[in-house]
Amino acid sequence: MSLSIEFAGVSFKNPVVASSGVITRSFYGAKKCIEAGVGGIVIKSVCHNPRSWPVPRPAIFFFDRYGCIGANTDIETGFLPVEQGVKLLNNLKPIAKKEDARLIGNINLSGVSKLNEEEAREISDIARKLEDAGAEMIEISMSCPIMSVLEHGTSFWSYMPDVDLQVKIIRTLKAEVSVPVFLKLPFEKLIKNVDKLEEAGADAHSLATRIPGTVIDIETGRPIVPLPHYYGPGEIAHTCYHLSKLALKATRPITVGGGITTSRDVIQALMCGATLGSVQTAVMRYGHKHLTEMGDGLKSFIKRKGYSSVKEIIGIAAPHVENIEEYVKFFNERLLPKEAMSITVDEATCTRCGICTNCPYGAMTIDDFPKVDLERCEFCGTCQSICPVAAITIKPKTVCRTPNL
Ligand SMILES: Cc1cc2nc3c(=O)[nH]c(=O)nc-3n(C[C@H](O)[C@H](O)[C@H](O)COP(=O)(O)O)c2cc1C
Ligand code: SF4
Ligand code: SF4
């Protein structure tokens, strides 16, 4: 079973990609990602601005000890000087070739607010160098929350790069390189301008979920980092929602990153309209084997569901994510009297764990086996959805059909 997929005319052996960041900054890390079986890697951003090169130490803050397992924030610019990015690509080329993984260059322009002639030439020159070094596509990152603070003294959440600037960047680079070029932007900065970016020649879109979340250290009464910026599993729901909106508007393929932590998340992202799903935080937290597991999980899902290819699932959920007509129908179908409902607990499946006794109406008790007090039960669905082994079924007693006249 092959998971191969085409993205902006380039073939990927599977849709799992290691996104640009600390995991693809060193030869060691990037090689480990490739060897874990990803379809491609985006190397750490290169940047022409020396202010972005230093790595603050420490720069990465996981929130595990504050109760948000697997989530993090970072103040890691640490962008690579161009020559270092070129060297990294050159060194990775034979490994990527052997493993059939695509190499994607990334130029960080998050701090740029205009593009004069000289800057345009400089950026073109960087793109060409990356292409010559083996980058098979170029992602332009305009999604770094740190650079807008450093360069503009303003919070990322209020900073909106000008669409004319985005268009100019695409046009400049399209004229310079022959590989696909696209921008990496947060949703609110991408959805508004998607038509203009496509008109300018963007070959794809890279959606970077960014939520202004924070975590407070209750011992000090201060946020762990004094700039709201939160990556991790909690982001996946935002990713799916924004992605589905973008997918309905965009005509070019989408690569997405933000909270993708399991193979289920990759599948959700594809169903909401992405062609590639990228991962950073989950690799930092759970290791490279996580990338392998995502590919394997995706493969067994496609096989189990009998899809002929991974392409078949792309975008299937997108039109249903916010569908008012469907929602009203969904709601109305559930306006049933208590008497019409049944609740059963399957004896063979139930492990007697007792979780279902969290019932908000006190209707579920457990002695040897869970017992429902039908007087109290409102058939709300809580127990059914929290039972870890799906032993509880709630459904209408009879299905009413219009007689066939
Ligand atoms: C430590 C760290 C460094 C990052 N560096 C970059 C970068 O240099 N360029 C870039 O485009 N994105 C960078 N990112 C963003 C990631 O590529 C990705 O968009 C983001 O982490 C969301 O995905 P995740 O939920 O899988 O972490 C970085 C993220 C982290 C956590
Ligand atoms: S939560 Fe599920 S498995 Fe646990 S006791 Fe209730 S029905 Fe049984
Ligand atoms: S459906 Fe709701 S009310 Fe009924 S037993 Fe389950 S949790 Fe309690």
Side-chain angles (χ1 to χ4, degrees):
M1 148 78 56
S2 155
L3 292 179
S4 67
I5 192 110
E6 198 164 288
F7 178 80
V10 177
S11 171
F12 285 70
K13 70 177 170 185
N14 71 54
V16 181
V17 166
S19 63
S20 176
V22 68
I23 63 168
T24 60
R25 191 170 186 273
S26 66
F27 176 72
Y28 164 84
K31 177 171 178 276
K32 292 275 264 185
C33 290
I34 295 173
E35 288 172 350
V38 288
I41 68 160
V42 191
I43 65 154
K44 174 76 186 177
S45 288
V46 302
C47 189
H48 60 303
N49 180 352
R51 195 160 175 195
S52 72
W53 296 342
V55 178
R57 306 169 208 279
I60 295 161
F61 308 86
F62 268 88
F63 297 134
D64 282 33
R65 78 174 67 116
Y66 308 99
C68 310
I69 312 295
N72 80 320
T73 193
D74 74 278
I75 56 164
E76 196 240 32
T77 44
F79 300 150
L80 301 174
V82 178
E83 295 316 319
Q84 211 175 317
V86 164
K87 191 170 160 207
L88 180 60
L89 281 167
N90 272 319
N91 288 342
L92 289 170
K93 242 183 327 195
I95 298 147
K97 189 165 179 222
K98 178 166 168 266
E99 301 290 337
D100 187 23
R102 304 284 70 84
L103 288 178
I104 304 170
N106 176 302
I107 307 174
N108 212 302
L109 299 183
S110 299
V112 171
S113 52
K114 56 180 176 20
L115 201 64
N116 59 32
E117 290 296 304
E118 196 194 325
E119 284 164 328
R121 261 199 311 278
E122 199 173 358
I123 287 162
S124 303
D125 186 50
I126 299 173
R128 200 171 354 90
K129 283 184 174 155
L130 294 182
E131 182 182 24
D132 291 348
E136 292 160 275
M137 38 183 69
I138 307 240
E139 180 177 74
I140 305 297
S141 183
M142 301 189 81
S143 63
C144 174
I146 303 152
M147 285 312 287
S148 56
V149 176
L150 295 186
E151 289 299 299
H152 310 295
T154 151
S155 159
F156 178 69
W157 311 107
S158 53
Y159 171 69
M160 175 74 80
D162 180 23
V163 62
D164 295 337
L165 172 69
Q166 296 172 15
V167 163
K168 195 165 175 195
I169 290 170
I170 294 279
R171 290 221 166 101
T172 305
L173 297 189
K174 287 292 293 176
E176 192 63 35
V177 294
S178 57
V179 294
V181 173
F182 51 90
L183 296 185
K184 178 176 181 182
L185 286 163
F187 176 73
E188 61 282 7
K189 301 177 189 185
L190 179 50
I191 189 82
K192 251 177 80 182
N193 306 324
V194 77
D195 325 0
K196 288 187 179 145
L197 297 180
E198 292 188 355
E199 250 174 62
D203 295 287
H205 305 290
S206 176
L207 173 63
T209 300
R210 297 284 178 266
I211 34 174
T214 191
V215 174
I216 307 295
D217 178 354
I218 59 170
E219 299 308 319
T220 61
R222 294 286 181 276
I224 308 302
V225 171
L227 184 77
H229 171 202
Y230 183 99
Y231 293 137
E235 276 186 302
I236 185 67
H238 293 263
T239 296
C240 286
Y241 173 62
H242 288 151
L243 178 58
S244 64
K245 293 261 164 203
L246 179 65
L248 295 179
K249 205 171 165 200
T251 65
R252 307 285 149 83
I254 304 167
T255 172
V256 72
I260 296 181
T261 307
T262 62
S263 58
R264 171 181 282 271
D265 297 338
V266 177
I267 296 163
Q268 289 195 73
L270 296 184
M271 287 182 167
C272 287
T275 301
L276 301 177
S278 69
V279 190
Q280 179 80 208
T281 294
V283 180
M284 291 159 68
R285 178 63 180 74
Y286 302 108
H288 296 91
K289 67 175 187 326
H290 217 65
L291 290 169
T292 316
E293 283 164 15
M294 283 186 193
D296 290 349
L298 176 60
K299 197 179 272 186
S300 25
F301 173 79
I302 296 291
K303 207 165 153 197
R304 173 168 69 78
K305 297 291 284 181
Y307 290 112
S308 59
S309 114
V310 76
K311 276 177 240 146
E312 268 189 64
I313 67 170
I314 293 179
I316 60 171
H320 309 284
V321 169
E322 191 170 36
N323 185 317
I324 303 304
E325 237 169 68
E326 280 180 27
Y327 180 73
V328 170
K329 185 165 175 278
F330 182 89
F331 183 88
N332 286 338
E333 277 170 359
R334 283 157 178 77
L335 292 178
L336 294 168
K338 269 177 75 153
E339 297 67 35
M341 303 300 293
S342 70
I343 177 166
T344 49
V345 184
D346 184 63
E347 257 200 89
T349 318
C350 173
T351 61
R352 281 76 173 161
C353 69
I355 289 172
C356 52
T357 61
N358 289 344
C359 166
Y361 295 95
M364 188 70 91
T365 50
I366 187 164
D367 192 357
D368 285 341
F369 187 68
K371 187 166 171 252
V372 189
D373 176 345
L374 291 176
E375 285 296 307
R376 289 184 167 205
C377 177
E378 288 290 344
F379 303 91
C380 71
T382 302
C383 59
Q384 177 182 245
S385 33
I386 61 177
C387 169
V389 292
I392 302 176
T393 308
I394 299 174
K395 58 175 190 191
K397 278 181 191 152
T398 47
V399 181
C400 302
R401 289 204 182 86
T402 317
N404 222 348
L405 298 174

